[in-house]
Amino acid sequence: MFKFVIEKMTAMNTNNVYLRNAKSEFLRYKSLGDKSIEQLEPGQLFFANNDDSNSIAVIVKHMHGNMISRWTNFLTTDGEKPWRKRDAEFKNTINDKQEVLKQWEEGWACLFAAIDPLSDEQLSTIVYIRNEAHTVMEAINRQLTHYAYHVGQIVFVAKQLKKGEWNTLSIAKNKSKEFNAKM
């Protein structure tokens, strides 16, 4: 009996750690996007290197569409909502920085409203994305990696646009030794 209780407590603590870590990682990626967008002039949000590239505004529009679809009624409806128009997310219809920021914040707010109340017991619940079954934990992991990918694109494009005026979001180039000495 004692062994069973310890195993159950260990599993619960692991899950609790998982949810805290997942939320922390989502917040970290949101912060990287926030800090990148903040450094840009409004017009830079709409720059696309070529016809096959997406501007930051388009990336945000796509993330917004994905987040609203995936996290609305997360536990009870398929994450790919019938009203979502994914292909339209890759056509820029945003006109200003305020709209980019509005969509950015709405998407993240929807995500956090869905994951904040989750309990450890719900991590093994089955949810669907495009009729494919996922545990809640798998769905969170899927979206976390998807958003990290797109935030990485945002950071990359922003850094290219700012050139020498970029305020680094991590350890500055050729400054690892100094950073490590402070740690």
Side-chain angles (χ1 to χ4, degrees):
M1 176 68 177
F2 182 69
K3 182 180 177 187
F4 172 76
V5 171
I6 289 183
E7 287 173 0
K8 186 169 175 93
M9 287 175 60
T10 302
M12 286 175 38
N13 289 339
T14 302
N15 292 343
N16 191 325
V17 169
Y18 170 79
L19 281 171
R20 282 196 319 264
N21 182 255
K23 291 175 191 179
S24 175
E25 288 299 299
F26 279 124
L27 285 167
R28 187 165 69 90
Y29 284 109
K30 181 184 183 304
S31 177
L32 289 171
D34 290 341
K35 291 173 184 174
S36 296
I37 293 168
E38 183 179 291
Q39 293 187 52
L40 297 175
E41 299 300 319
Q44 292 177 310
L45 294 169
F46 302 95
F47 169 81
N49 193 42
N50 57 50
D51 290 342
D52 293 324
S53 299
N54 293 313
S55 68
I56 290 172
V58 167
I59 295 168
V60 168
K61 182 180 176 186
H62 166 61
M63 289 180 70
H64 174 266
N66 179 280
M67 289 171 160
I68 299 299
S69 183
R70 294 293 185 267
W71 300 105
T72 299
N73 301 320
F74 171 62
L75 295 173
T76 58
T77 62
D78 193 289
E80 186 66 15
K81 305 296 186 280
W83 42 258
R84 182 179 182 204
K85 306 286 186 244
R86 184 184 180 280
D87 292 338
E89 294 166 12
F90 296 96
K91 295 179 182 131
N92 185 42
T93 57
I94 302 174
N95 297 314
D96 56 42
K97 188 171 185 173
Q98 290 74 28
E99 181 62 23
V100 171
L101 293 172
K102 179 179 179 249
Q103 288 197 12
W104 178 256
E105 293 299 332
E106 283 177 2
W108 288 104
C110 186
L111 178 155
F112 290 117
I115 66 169
D116 282 346
L118 290 176
S119 67
D120 297 340
E121 295 75 26
Q122 292 172 302
L123 290 174
S124 60
T125 299
I126 299 298
V127 296
Y128 291 87
I129 301 173
R130 293 191 181 111
N131 293 316
E132 182 183 344
H134 297 71
T135 64
V136 165
M137 185 184 290
E138 289 169 335
I140 290 170
N141 289 340
R142 176 179 170 153
Q143 296 315 114
L144 181 59
T145 58
H146 182 214
Y147 303 149
Y149 170 79
H150 287 307
V151 169
Q153 292 174 319
I154 290 169
V155 172
F156 179 78
V157 172
K159 188 173 182 179
Q160 299 303 307
L161 290 169
K162 293 305 287 185
K163 299 180 183 166
E165 298 173 8
W166 176 253
N167 294 317
T168 189
L169 305 178
S170 62
I171 302 168
K173 193 174 186 178
N174 298 318
K175 299 291 181 183
S176 295
K177 196 176 213 178
E178 291 89 342
F179 178 83
N180 290 339
K182 288 179 188 177
M183 298 307 285

